[in-house]
């Protein structure tokens, strides 16, 4: 069903293409080792993919608000949580495919140019520790927003929250934010600690980021996803 | 052996302090074969069905379906494994094709084997006359086609218990007749089918048994013939243009050249009029309008 979503083709896929274009043309990674360049690029692609997902996912659970479908699904033997998780994971898998393909293509190209498989391995690892966890969080957050708000407002709101949580620079706009902190879902912490991205991908003050900080960051992202999933389930039950 | 639905003292209020509960101490038993669930809008039919399929919890009372107590999670799961359900308010994913939707529901019903699933889907599409539209998106279906698709999904996985809420609403006469025969063929010895409907003709044609709910209570449980018999000796066909007696209930009126001809139920024989054998509609009208079901209590 996600494949037939208009937003997949007008937002997600173009943003994935744009992220690949930026990766190929931006001077941002010049001078970095190839694997670090791929890790840094993964963070940038993740940010753009997040905006795509906020556009594509706001209507994913809207159907569950409709009594007829809610009852129909609830009258099947599977668990409601598993069904909802399946709905969101399936949609996220499809929506993340363009960015995943772009990142893997960039990793493969960099690996060929470097004459080493390392950059491709970094790209693969980045899919697992950056794209998938962040993608699931944005998907669930946006889908929940779409349950409680009109779809368009949910899209705008979720995009705003994503920007606030990942790219808002408090030195430029001095408002409280989780971006550039251990709570940010932008993927910077795993990229820096585990994949060798430059520190600017995660923090503004150049502090060191250890593997345990990256693990905490990943756990925070996954825990938030689980909480939002529970909220989504409770909310859809209200409509029955 | 067919399964039995046993309902004891079932009460459901949608809001705390509601003066009249949606269901008020409902006690009844539904055995195998086909049973019609009848009643006016707001009588509690949909609430009762939603509780019986395990998607709504009662405030009080107990529902046991085929030995499975719906108060427990295991009981609800067990019932859902043998259930085919068509809700009254039907919504489906408009972006999916009919075939894809059935595939999804079959998966949710636990039909894991791809070939079995495909065979069942083809059979259901064929049964409901949707084969040639199966690859169209549901968003392009007419209301009747959506209803037929709803029926198809309810019949997937060969359910032992079929609960259908207003299944023929929105179907044209030919589709209605086809569905009626289909349902009647399914409600044989092996299954328990509960059919909620406003169309008394559907109930009369297909269901040997009936339950009438009135304001959240059981007004009648018994055979459809017995329900019709409530109007026995009280159903009259008046000649065209004849006035309706003041205490009579009009069941039907037909405009004829000589004037309107009324079919009425009356405890007192009208001055003009012929006593006729009652239909289910006559019995239903007699139960709910002539007699006071609240005063008479459950009849069977």
């Amino acid at each position: 069903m996600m494949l037939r979503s208009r937003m997949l083709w007008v937002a997600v896929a173009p943003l994935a293409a744009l992220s690949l274009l930026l990766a190929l043309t931006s001077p941002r990674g010049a001078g970095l080792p190839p694997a670090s360049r791929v890790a840094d690029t993964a963070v940038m692609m993740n940010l753009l993919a997040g905006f795509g997902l906020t556009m594509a996912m706001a209507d994913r659970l809207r159907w569950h608000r409709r009594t007829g479908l809610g009852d129909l699904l609830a009258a099947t033997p599977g668990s409601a949580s598993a069904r909802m998780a399946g709905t969101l994971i399936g949609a996220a898998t499809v929506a993340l495919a363009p960015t995943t393909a772009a990142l893997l293509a960039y990793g493969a190209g960099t690996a060929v140019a470097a004459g080493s498989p390392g950059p491709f391995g970094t790209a693969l690892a980045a899919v697992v520790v950056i794209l998938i966890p962040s993608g699931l969080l944005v998907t669930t957050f946006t889908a929940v927003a779409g349950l409680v708000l009109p779809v368009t407002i949910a899209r705008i709101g979720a995009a705003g929250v994503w920007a606030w949580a990942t790219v808002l620079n408090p030195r430029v706009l001095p408002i409280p934010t989780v971006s550039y902190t251990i709570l940010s879902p932008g993927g910077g912490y795993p990229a820096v600690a585990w994949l060798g991205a430059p520190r600017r991908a995660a923090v503004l003050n150049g502090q060191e980021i250890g593997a345990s900080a990256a693990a905490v960051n990943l756990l925070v992202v996954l825990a938030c996803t689980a909480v939002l999933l529970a909220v989504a389930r409770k909310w859809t039950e209200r409509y029955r | 052996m067919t399964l039995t639905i046993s309902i004891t003292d079932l009460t459901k209020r949608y809001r705390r302090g509601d003066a009249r509960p949606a269901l008020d101490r409902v006690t009844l038993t539904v055995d195998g074969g086909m049973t019609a669930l009848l009643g006016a809008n707001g009588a509690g039919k949909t609430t009762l069905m939603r509780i019986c399929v395990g998607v709504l919890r009662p405030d009080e009372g107990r529902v046991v379906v085929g030995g499975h107590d719906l108060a427990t999670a295991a009981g609800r799961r067990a019932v859902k494994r043998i259930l085919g359900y068509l809700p009254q308010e039907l919504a489906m994913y408009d972006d999916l094709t009919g075939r894809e939707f059935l595939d999804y529901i079959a998966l949710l019903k636990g039909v894991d084997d791809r070939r079995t699933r495909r065979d069942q889907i083809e059979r259901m599409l064929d049964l409901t006359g949707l084969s040639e539209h199966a690859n169209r998106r549901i968003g392009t279906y007419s209301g009747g086609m959506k209803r037929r698709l709803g029926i198809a999904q309810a019949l997937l996985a060969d359910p032992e218990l079929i609960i259908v809420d207003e299944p023929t609403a929105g179907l044209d006469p030919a589709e209605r007749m086809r569905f009626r025969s289909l349902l009647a063929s399914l409600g044989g010895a092996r299954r328990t089918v509960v059919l909620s409907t406003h169309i008394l003709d559907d109930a009369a044609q297909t269901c040997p048994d009936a339950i009438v709910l009135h304001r959240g209570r059981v007004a009648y449980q018994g055979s459809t013939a017995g329900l019709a018999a409530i109007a026995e000796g009280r159903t009259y066909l008046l000649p065209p243009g004849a006035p309706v007696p003041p205490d009579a209930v009009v069941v039907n009126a037909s405009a004829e050249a000589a004037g309107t001809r009324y079919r009425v139920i009356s405890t007192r024989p009208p001055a003009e009029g012929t006593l006729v054998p009652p239909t289910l509609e006559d019995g239903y009208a007699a139960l709910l309008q002539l007699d006071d079901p609240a005063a008479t209590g459950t009849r069977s």
Side-chain angles (χ1 to χ4, degrees):
Chain A
M1 196 156 62
M2 189 67 213
L3 270 174
R4 295 186 189 129
S5 161
R6 200 166 52 90
M7 280 298 162
L8 181 69
W9 303 105
V10 302
V12 177
L15 280 170
L18 174 66
S19 67
L20 183 59
L21 187 68
L22 286 174
L24 294 171
T25 57
S26 166
R28 182 181 152 102
L32 290 174
S36 297
R37 204 161 66 233
V38 171
D40 194 32
T41 299
V43 175
M44 179 272 291
M45 287 186 165
N46 185 46
L47 295 179
L48 289 178
F51 285 111
L53 290 172
T54 62
M55 297 298 113
M57 296 301 177
D59 58 353
R60 285 304 96 184
L61 295 179
R62 295 287 288 185
W63 288 99
H64 294 244
R65 281 177 48 162
R66 298 173 70 169
T67 313
L69 185 63
D71 274 9
L72 203 65
L73 299 179
T76 57
S79 116
S81 298
R83 202 167 47 238
M84 185 163 284
T87 301
L88 293 178
I89 289 170
T93 303
V94 173
L96 282 173
T99 304
T100 302
L103 180 57
L104 292 180
Y106 181 71
T110 309
V112 169
S116 148
F120 186 70
T122 301
L124 273 176
V127 169
V128 175
V129 299
I130 299 174
L131 275 190
I132 291 175
S134 293
L136 288 175
L137 177 60
V138 187
T139 294
T140 316
F141 178 80
T142 310
V144 170
L147 272 177
V148 299
L149 297 168
V151 169
T152 307
I153 293 174
R155 282 181 179 136
I156 296 166
V161 171
W162 180 246
W164 170 80
T166 56
V167 292
L168 180 69
N169 186 335
R171 289 177 184 167
V172 177
L173 198 62
I175 56 171
T177 174
V178 296
S179 66
Y180 297 104
T181 73
I182 200 167
L183 300 176
S184 174
Y189 271 63
V192 173
W194 295 334
L195 305 177
R199 288 179 197 166
R200 63 172 158 73
V203 289
L204 292 171
N205 57 9
Q207 76 186 62
E208 232 176 277
I209 294 169
S212 56
V216 169
N217 175 259
L218 196 55
L219 281 175
V220 167
V221 170
L222 294 174
C224 288
T225 307
V227 168
L228 285 165
L229 195 62
V231 170
R233 196 197 150 179
K234 281 282 164 210
W235 199 273
T236 50
E237 273 178 4
R238 279 184 50 168
Y239 290 93
R240 288 195 283 108
Chain B
M1 206 176 93
T2 53
L3 55 80
T4 299
I5 306 174
S6 304
I7 297 169
T8 315
D9 284 333
L10 201 65
T11 298
K12 175 70 187 173
R13 279 186 173 81
Y14 282 103
R15 282 181 209 85
R16 199 184 291 264
D18 267 359
R20 187 171 67 78
L23 292 176
D24 188 3
R25 288 169 288 137
V26 167
T27 296
L28 51 87
T29 304
V30 179
D31 290 317
M34 288 196 64
T35 301
L37 184 59
L38 308 173
N41 285 333
K45 303 188 299 294
T46 296
T47 302
L48 180 62
M49 294 188 126
R50 294 180 77 210
I51 290 174
C52 287
V53 301
V55 303
L56 190 67
R57 303 281 177 86
D59 297 327
E60 292 163 39
R62 191 161 179 242
V63 181
V64 178
V65 179
H68 306 293
D69 189 341
L70 287 185
T72 66
R76 285 192 295 276
R77 233 183 352 263
V79 171
K80 287 172 182 181
R81 280 200 200 99
I82 53 166
L83 172 72
Y85 175 50
L86 174 65
Q88 181 183 24
E89 225 181 286
L90 185 61
M92 292 177 273
Y93 297 107
D94 282 351
D95 285 347
L96 291 184
T97 65
R99 192 188 302 279
E100 288 167 342
F101 181 71
L102 291 181
D103 193 53
Y104 178 55
I105 297 293
L107 266 174
L108 292 180
K109 284 186 169 187
V111 187
D112 294 329
D113 180 64
R114 189 187 292 256
R115 181 176 292 181
T116 310
R117 217 163 54 231
R118 196 188 56 208
D119 291 348
Q120 284 194 14
I121 289 167
E122 291 311 319
R123 198 152 53 86
M124 290 309 133
L125 286 169
D126 189 43
L127 265 176
T128 50
L130 284 172
S131 296
E132 61 182 288
H133 310 290
N135 296 322
R136 270 172 55 187
R137 288 193 202 183
I138 295 171
T140 67
Y141 280 18
S142 68
M145 288 165 75
K146 284 182 182 172
R147 209 73 206 156
R148 280 191 274 157
L149 188 62
I151 292 160
Q153 66 77 29
L155 301 180
L156 279 170
D158 200 16
E160 280 177 63
L161 170 64
I162 299 175
I163 295 186
V164 284
D165 199 352
E166 300 289 348
T168 53
L171 296 187
D172 65 37
E175 286 173 331
R176 227 182 82 206
M177 281 188 279
R178 185 161 56 170
F179 176 66
R180 226 157 51 183
S181 333
L182 171 64
L183 214 55
S185 71
L186 291 169
R190 214 174 61 74
R191 286 190 182 84
T192 300
V193 181
V194 181
L195 163 71
S196 164
T197 182
H198 280 121
I199 305 168
L200 294 175
D201 200 29
D202 284 350
Q205 299 287 334
T206 51
C207 301
D209 295 309
I211 294 161
V212 179
L213 287 183
H214 181 67
R215 297 183 177 182
R217 291 185 173 180
V218 179
Y220 175 86
Q221 182 178 14
S223 67
T224 38
L227 179 56
I230 292 174
E232 187 75 57
R234 299 194 282 179
T235 309
Y236 299 91
L237 196 60
L238 305 184
V244 177
D247 61 345
V249 171
V250 175
V251 180
N252 213 334
S254 59
E256 295 181 9
T260 306
R261 177 194 282 271
Y262 293 99
R263 183 184 182 95
V264 300
I265 308 161
S266 176
T267 44
R268 279 182 296 181
E272 302 174 83
T274 319
L275 193 64
V276 291
T279 62
L280 186 63
E281 201 171 30
D282 300 325
Y284 178 81
L287 175 76
L288 296 185
Q289 294 182 46
L290 206 58
D291 302 338
D292 178 3
T296 54
T298 304
R299 302 175 64 148
S300 54

